[in-house]
Amino acid sequence: MFRYVVAAIQWLMLCSVSAGAMAMPGALDKASLLFRDWSVEAGLPQVSVTAIAQDEQGYIWLGTQSGLARFDGHKFTVFNTANTPQLQSNLITALYFDSEKRLWIGTVNGLSYYTSNEFTAVATSEIRPGSITSFAELADGRFFIGANQLYQWQQQQLVPVAEHNGPVFQLYPQQDTLWIGGQHGFASYQQQLYRWYPAPDATEELQVTELAVRGSTKLLGTSKGLYRWQQGRWQALELPGTAPYSRIELMYQDKQQQLWVSTLNGLYQVISGQAIQIQQPGNAEKPFRWIESMLQDQHNNIWLGSRTHGVIRLRNALTERYSTAAGLPDPYSWAVLPWDQHLMVGTSQGMALLRYGEFQPLLANQQLASPYVYSLLHQQDDLWVGTRAGLSLLDAETLAWQKNFPQTAHLLITTMTAEQQRVWVGSNGGLYFIEQGELSQQDITPPLTTLSIRALLADSLGRLWVGTESGLYLRDADQFEPVLDIPLSNKFISAIVEFPDGNMLIGSFDQGFILGKPGNWQHFSQQNGLPGNGVMHAALVNDKLVISNFEGFYRLDYPALQQGEVSELYMLVDDRQPEAATDSHRCCNGAGSNKGVVHQGRIWFPTLDGIIALRLDRLNSTAPVPVPVIESLTVANQQHSKNSVRLAPTQRDWHFRFSAPYYYQASSIDTRYQLEGYEQSWVDAGSRREAFYTNLPPGNYRFHVQVKVAGDYRWSDAATMDVHLQPYWHETLTARLLLAGLLLAIFWLVYRLRLTSLAHARKELSRQVTERTQELYQANQKLQQMSMQDALTELHNRHYLDVNIDAMLARAQRNEQPLTWILLDLDYFKRINDQFGHQLGDNVLKHFAAILQQHSRSNDHLIRWGGEEFLLILEQSGEVQHYIERLQQLVHSYPWQQQLGVPVSITCSIGATVQPPGWDWQYSLYLADAALYKIKNSGRADYMLLQPGPDAPANLAASDNRAELDELLARKWLIASRGQQLAEV
């Protein structure tokens, strides 16, 4: 009895100590402390984090030596001189949010501030490079900048404060008083009252780089150590584990008024005037050191920035961990079992008793069948211990070893349960029972004699439930039968629990669980919304069902579950994300009995690193809900960030970007959005943080975004942005009314036209026939025109003469004007083809045709007569001889060599006839050809023009006796002109 009284007193002492620990800042609660760190591999621009600040939306701003970074827990958005010219330098020295929500940014080359999504550079010609150290704002709104001297921001400019002459290393605001850390001392500045407090002469030159005021005491962090100033005296404070006069890198006062101090290798808190060293955060192999910036964020997480290790975030978890630091012999834990008011833990190195926060290994571990303790059972005066290599028995009162069962040495004992005077033992080699100290399988029928057993339960109705890796069995009336009428038949059964209301929960390794009673089961799995299908342990605490598995543990609303609904599901420990390695109390472990227990106001679970506990008064606790932020709406390469946006009619393709600043398992945040006015329901976006819309109609829209943490049933309040898309003129109501009226008028007109359409059908058909005939005529005309054109020279061909000769003769007779027939032949053209090829010959013909076209009138007819021979028909021609001479001269003087690229010279011979009105045109053409023949036979490069003589007959037809040219010249019916000579024959 005395032992229990002492234990109770010690338990009360433990509770009081725990209560005191919980009153301290969370970062000191080692049992629940978790962390996560980020460096350059995660997107931080550089490992030196010189300053930290948080804005109203929750973003963390980090100043580094390679730019400014805005962090939402998911990604870093970096601002530097390359993408933000308003930043004076990439080396950030100080950050500060003032009462107007401006972010002030001090750099080694000057000052900037950020507000309304815009950066602004401040003119700082008086500030010495590298001297901006700090900012401070007093209660009356005065804002100060510490640099090579003290400055005040007034009327959008820096104004030096003359009272303080010298560099400023730190500023600390206290209501209406500004405390100033300077060279070899510090100062106070209140309205116009300035006072200087010099350091003792005995101390070497020091810089007061950090300041904190606590009542009448001033704590001063300097380049020569930590000091306390009180009642006009400087007093050095020792920092344990740090060399005297070590430089103070940081002083920070959190929301609980706790003062943090850091040096190069140490982190401290000042409590009651004494500096207490704190274990360096981070991994033991890689402690987080050289801390020079700090922040307590909106959710009371502690952020520490290092000169060499990036940034780390510390937080208090709901759960507490007890592992090797508390004396556990081995971190691998497999079983938990209440023992009096204490807790028995089975590990890979035997058993240990957790008493008042410390573990005590048992002496009996030396005699256990195996040091690997997988299952435990307390039955009256006996403590049964199942190990990896057999079963052991201990005295439950003294915890002394009693005996081992050698016949189980080949078995892994996974689970045990008590039934009156019998102990049922499940192993990886079948089901056994112990009665009167004897191990037996009597009356146990196959396959239970060989199956791997994972769960046993003797329920309140005298039934024995057996969970195996191949399904569930039930003993009723001394007979074991497989339970086949359940969704988990033939599945790996990992947990069996009976609740006070008589309901049973049968959990599987990877298929969810069923709840209810035989013949009336409800099945729940990930398809119903569970975070995972595994069940290692289940416990009912009030109206909450707590389930653990390899990925953590979560709670459910039990009354809703009885109605078939998964409601208010909340992950108390979520190990599904990569960052869970350091940012979660990893849980849980094993499949079998003793994988969890409710004891002494806590629920306990074994893990691979000791045991974790959740206080039951925290069972309904929830983490803060992430707050969504709509970062921007991008339209036509323009970004809009205001809550209300008005867009032009052409801006119909939208790109929304949104986020949710959150720093615990940020990668597990789920998002959903809805464009009200376009979408009727929410769009689940998973972890995506953007939305696209194209070709939207005009109107008023409201974009909503909600977020939640995976494994949390609560969606956040919605962030919204109103967007008005203006319509085109034809999309306005007025235009639509006009259009409606126009449609009605058109309908009436169509109706009237329909009434008369039958009367006009024949006329319309006739018109269409006429149109088609005209089109056909035009097509024929085009074809005819194409048939009358030479393909090479684009001049007319012989067919053209056949078609148009009658019209030419009619015009000549009507105008009483003769026609002139001129035949031109290129001299020695065959030589060109033979010597230079037909391609050059074709080019000569085309150039010759171009000369004819350029020096002919619009009513002249140019015809390629054949080969290198051309026919010109002139109507109403006067100076024919002059025209022929000019044409020959043009051909002779044409730059053939330059145009054709070969040494050729081209001349032509011409025969021409001026046809009297009554003469046959074919005979006239014959005479022109005869004249050309004479020229070609008499030396070429000349012409002969035939004109009617004084004795020419009025009519000369083709049917007449055709005379040769010489005869006509002899009769003086024709007169021949050649070159410059006029000859009559």
Side-chain angles (χ1 to χ4, degrees):
M1 182 67 183
F2 176 75
R3 179 170 64 86
Y4 292 111
V5 172
V6 172
I9 294 174
Q10 291 175 328
W11 178 259
L12 291 175
M13 292 174 62
L14 174 63
C15 292
S16 64
V17 171
S18 299
M22 291 307 297
M24 291 188 286
L28 288 183
D29 187 1
K30 296 180 181 179
S32 62
L33 177 63
L34 295 172
F35 73 92
R36 189 181 178 197
D37 56 355
W38 295 267
S39 190
V40 290
E41 63 274 5
L44 191 67
Q46 206 260 350
V47 295
S48 296
V49 178
T50 56
I52 310 176
Q54 186 176 29
D55 63 22
E56 187 181 40
Q57 292 178 314
Y59 289 100
I60 297 293
W61 293 80
L62 304 166
T64 76
Q65 293 185 354
S66 188
L68 177 67
R70 187 182 69 183
F71 188 41
D72 64 356
H74 179 68
K75 68 174 182 177
F76 292 90
T77 302
V78 178
F79 306 93
N80 52 37
T81 54
N83 58 31
T84 309
Q86 296 81 4
L87 282 179
Q88 308 286 351
S89 169
N90 287 338
L91 204 158
I92 312 298
T93 59
L95 297 175
Y96 189 90
F97 275 100
D98 65 14
S99 59
E100 296 182 13
K101 303 174 184 176
R102 289 177 297 195
L103 174 64
W104 290 87
I105 308 157
T107 75
V108 295
N109 285 338
L111 180 66
S112 305
Y113 64 83
Y114 174 82
T115 184
S116 300
N117 296 314
E118 292 184 358
F119 288 88
T120 302
V122 177
T124 56
S125 58
E126 296 182 359
I127 295 181
R128 189 168 61 246
S131 63
I132 297 178
T133 59
S134 54
F135 306 97
E137 185 175 21
L138 298 180
D140 57 12
R142 288 182 295 160
F143 187 75
F144 296 90
I145 297 97
N148 55 296
Q149 69 177 82
L150 183 64
Y151 294 89
Q152 185 175 350
W153 181 253
Q154 290 181 319
Q155 298 179 352
Q156 301 301 306
Q157 62 181 353
L158 293 173
V159 178
V161 178
E163 287 82 354
H164 182 82
N165 183 20
V168 175
F169 301 110
Q170 187 60 272
L171 295 175
Y172 183 91
Q174 184 188 29
Q175 296 300 323
D176 58 351
T177 301
L178 180 68
W179 296 91
I180 307 163
Q183 184 73 40
H184 204 64
F186 67 100
S188 63
Y189 182 61
Q190 186 177 18
Q191 296 298 337
Q192 302 304 317
L193 180 61
Y194 176 85
R195 184 177 177 184
W196 175 254
Y197 305 91
D201 294 336
T203 60
E204 299 179 4
E205 283 293 318
L206 56 75
Q207 298 170 350
V208 179
T209 57
E210 303 291 335
L211 272 168
V213 178
R214 309 185 76 176
S216 60
T217 302
K218 282 71 182 176
L219 292 169
L220 310 171
T222 76
S223 57
K224 299 294 183 179
L226 179 65
Y227 290 85
R228 176 173 55 201
W229 190 91
Q230 193 173 25
Q231 297 178 352
R233 297 179 58 190
W234 289 66
Q235 180 182 357
L237 293 180
E238 293 184 4
L239 296 176
T242 298
Y245 307 113
S246 295
R247 178 183 179 86
I248 303 301
E249 302 292 340
L250 168 75
M251 288 176 57
Y252 181 81
Q253 190 162 281
D254 62 24
K255 298 176 184 178
Q256 291 78 24
Q257 302 304 308
Q258 299 278 8
L259 184 65
W260 300 71
V261 179
S262 76
T263 63
L264 177 64
N265 293 309
L267 181 62
Y268 305 85
Q269 276 197 329
V270 178
I271 301 175
S272 300
Q274 298 295 321
I276 300 174
Q277 188 168 13
I278 301 172
Q279 181 180 353
Q280 293 288 108
N283 296 317
E285 304 81 19
K286 185 183 177 183
F288 195 83
R289 58 190 294 273
W290 203 344
I291 297 168
E292 62 177 8
S293 56
M294 187 170 178
L295 173 75
Q296 187 175 15
D297 68 16
Q298 297 169 353
H299 297 154
N300 292 324
N301 299 315
I302 295 294
W303 293 78
L304 302 174
S306 166
R307 177 62 68 100
T308 55
H309 290 72
V311 65
I312 193 171
R313 188 230 62 231
L314 310 177
R315 73 177 183 91
N316 264 343
L318 284 174
T319 49
E320 305 160 352
R321 179 177 296 284
Y322 299 89
S323 188
T324 53
L328 194 64
D330 188 275
Y332 280 70
S333 302
W334 307 102
V336 289
L337 179 73
W339 187 82
D340 292 342
Q341 72 270 31
H342 308 303
L343 188 71
M344 189 70 70
V345 179
T347 76
S348 294
Q349 292 294 326
M351 295 186 294
L353 191 63
L354 180 62
R355 305 176 70 230
Y356 316 123
E358 296 291 335
F359 285 98
Q360 296 179 358
L362 301 187
L363 294 175
N365 289 335
Q366 300 176 7
Q367 285 82 33
L368 292 179
S370 168
Y372 291 85
V373 176
Y374 281 171
S375 57
L376 297 167
L377 175 65
H378 187 184
Q379 184 204 32
Q380 299 177 1
D381 297 331
D382 296 328
L383 179 62
W384 298 90
V385 180
T387 75
R388 187 175 183 178
L391 181 65
S392 298
L393 176 63
L394 274 65
D395 181 272
E397 178 70 18
T398 64
L399 299 180
W401 175 81
Q402 296 292 311
K403 63 180 292 188
N404 293 335
F405 290 81
Q407 60 270 48
T408 63
H410 64 291
L411 299 175
L412 167 63
I413 308 302
T414 57
T415 179
M416 295 178 286
T417 189
E419 184 184 36
Q420 298 177 359
Q421 300 301 315
R422 179 178 287 186
V423 174
W424 291 92
V425 179
S427 74
N428 64 343
L431 178 64
Y432 295 80
F433 66 86
I434 297 175
E435 192 170 17
Q436 296 179 355
E438 296 296 330
L439 184 73
S440 175
Q441 284 189 316
Q442 184 180 357
D443 298 330
I444 300 177
T445 57
L448 291 182
T449 54
T450 57
L451 284 178
S452 180
I453 312 299
R454 286 292 181 171
L456 291 171
L457 176 70
D459 68 13
S460 59
L461 299 178
R463 297 172 297 190
L464 180 65
W465 298 81
V466 182
T468 77
E469 295 185 4
S470 301
L472 179 67
Y473 289 79
L474 178 62
R475 186 208 64 193
D476 202 357
D478 297 326
Q479 195 74 16
F480 288 97
E481 295 291 343
V483 181
L484 301 177
D485 59 342
I486 60 173
L488 301 181
S489 62
N490 301 318
K491 305 302 181 184
F492 190 134
I493 305 300
S494 54
I496 304 174
V497 183
E498 182 182 19
F499 296 138
D501 60 3
N503 281 327
M504 303 288 298
L505 183 144
I506 312 297
S508 73
F509 188 77
D510 56 6
Q511 299 293 324
F513 64 88
I514 57 175
L515 178 68
K517 298 176 182 179
N520 185 21
W521 299 103
Q522 297 187 83
H523 184 211
F524 299 92
S525 67
Q526 283 183 287
Q527 293 182 346
N528 303 96
L530 298 184
N533 278 334
V535 178
M536 299 295 103
H537 181 266
L540 184 60
V541 182
N542 298 325
D543 61 346
K544 301 299 180 185
L545 178 62
V546 182
I547 294 178
S548 69
N549 56 33
F550 289 136
E551 298 173 335
F553 66 93
Y554 56 93
R555 68 166 190 256
L556 293 164
D557 184 70
Y558 183 69
L561 205 63
Q562 291 177 296
Q563 302 301 317
E565 299 178 3
V566 174
S567 177
E568 298 185 12
L569 186 150
Y570 186 81
M571 289 292 294
L572 294 159
V573 169
D574 189 352
D575 289 343
R576 296 174 296 174
Q577 304 303 321
E579 57 265 36
T582 62
D583 209 10
S584 173
H585 280 151
R586 305 300 295 271
C587 183
C588 295
N589 191 21
S593 61
N594 308 110
K595 304 309 177 186
V597 67
V598 177
H599 176 63
Q600 292 291 339
R602 285 172 168 80
I603 185 168
W604 304 82
F605 297 102
T607 77
L608 296 182
D609 186 12
I611 58 174
I612 65 169
L614 174 67
R615 284 173 24 187
L616 296 184
D617 59 2
R618 295 183 178 181
L619 183 61
N620 292 324
S621 299
T622 52
V625 178
V627 178
V629 177
I630 300 176
E631 293 183 336
S632 64
L633 165 61
T634 302
V635 184
N637 296 322
Q638 292 183 348
Q639 286 193 350
H640 306 271
S641 57
K642 295 183 179 180
N643 293 332
S644 181
V645 179
R646 189 177 185 87
L647 300 176
T650 57
Q651 298 177 317
R652 303 198 172 202
D653 296 337
W654 300 353
H655 178 194
F656 288 97
R657 288 186 177 91
F658 45 87
S659 183
Y662 201 69
Y663 306 101
Y664 166 54
Q665 294 192 347
S667 61
S668 69
I669 289 180
D670 290 333
T671 64
R672 67 182 185 183
Y673 59 82
Q674 179 186 13
L675 185 60
E676 185 180 341
Y678 180 74
E679 293 165 330
Q680 298 299 319
S681 58
W682 291 95
V683 177
D684 290 324
S687 60
R688 179 163 50 89
R689 302 190 179 202
E690 55 187 353
F692 297 88
Y693 296 91
T694 59
N695 198 26
L696 289 168
N700 293 314
Y701 299 91
R702 174 167 288 180
F703 185 69
H704 303 265
V705 176
Q706 284 186 310
V707 298
K708 76 177 185 70
V709 178
D712 189 344
Y713 63 93
R714 301 166 301 157
W715 285 97
S716 69
D717 294 334
T720 61
M721 176 183 282
D722 293 322
V723 185
H724 174 68
L725 178 58
Q726 301 179 70
Y728 289 107
W729 67 267
H730 56 81
E731 295 174 319
T732 61
L733 179 60
T734 301
R736 289 176 178 175
L737 292 175
L738 291 175
L739 179 61
L742 180 61
L743 290 175
L744 289 175
I746 292 174
F747 176 78
W748 180 84
L749 180 61
V750 169
Y751 173 73
R752 296 296 301 170
L753 290 175
R754 181 62 180 168
L755 293 179
T756 58
S757 62
L758 294 177
H760 296 285
R762 184 176 298 173
K763 182 178 180 180
E764 177 65 18
L765 180 60
S766 176
R767 183 187 65 80
Q768 290 181 2
V769 170
T770 302
E771 287 182 353
R772 299 297 184 272
T773 303
Q774 181 65 22
E775 291 173 358
L776 182 60
Y777 172 76
Q778 292 175 353
N780 289 333
Q781 288 293 101
K782 187 174 181 180
L783 290 174
Q784 185 177 5
Q785 183 179 0
M786 292 174 63
S787 70
M788 295 186 295
Q789 188 177 41
D790 178 58
L792 177 64
T793 63
E794 297 184 355
L795 301 179
H796 299 307
N797 57 19
R798 284 175 176 265
H799 181 59
Y800 173 81
L801 180 62
D802 296 337
V803 173
N804 292 282
I805 185 61
D806 292 338
M808 296 179 193
L809 295 173
R811 284 193 298 272
Q813 185 175 6
R814 186 170 58 251
N815 296 328
E816 297 182 353
Q817 292 288 337
L819 291 177
T820 301
W821 301 80
I822 304 174
L823 279 171
L824 302 94
D825 186 87
L826 296 179
D827 298 328
Y828 305 110
F829 184 74
K830 185 175 184 302
R831 294 180 185 177
I832 295 175
N833 279 338
D834 294 342
Q835 185 175 357
F836 299 104
H838 287 277
Q839 184 175 358
L840 181 64
D842 291 345
N843 286 337
V844 170
L845 294 176
K846 287 192 284 186
H847 280 268
F848 185 76
I851 294 172
L852 297 180
Q853 289 176 319
Q854 292 172 3
H855 300 285
S856 299
R857 299 170 303 178
S858 60
N859 61 348
D860 293 342
H861 304 277
L862 308 179
I863 299 172
R864 183 182 178 192
W865 197 242
E868 66 272 22
E869 192 172 9
F870 295 83
L871 172 64
L872 275 66
I873 305 173
L874 307 182
E875 297 185 39
Q876 301 178 359
S877 57
E879 299 292 335
V880 175
Q881 183 177 353
H882 176 70
Y883 172 74
I884 292 173
E885 291 175 351
R886 184 166 63 87
L887 195 60
Q888 273 195 322
Q889 182 62 34
L890 288 170
V891 172
H892 179 71
S893 61
Y894 187 76
W896 294 98
Q897 294 187 18
Q898 292 88 337
Q899 293 294 329
L900 301 178
V902 293
V904 297
S905 178
I906 304 299
T907 60
C908 67
S909 299
I910 301 175
T913 301
V914 178
Q915 176 189 339
W919 285 30
D920 178 60
W921 69 272
Q922 292 176 329
Y923 190 54
S924 299
L925 179 58
Y926 163 76
L927 294 174
D929 185 62
L932 175 62
Y933 182 76
K934 278 185 172 292
I935 293 300
K936 292 180 72 68
N937 286 336
S938 60
R940 293 180 171 82
D942 202 350
Y943 70 88
M944 177 179 285
L945 172 63
L946 303 177
Q947 301 183 66
D951 299 329
N955 296 297
L956 186 63
S959 59
D960 296 336
N961 184 18
R962 178 173 294 176
E964 296 296 331
L965 175 59
D966 292 339
E967 182 181 351
L968 295 177
L969 291 173
R971 294 179 184 179
K972 294 188 178 180
W973 286 9
L974 290 175
I975 300 174
S977 302
R978 182 173 179 176
Q980 298 296 325
Q981 303 297 323
L982 180 63
E984 294 184 0
V985 181

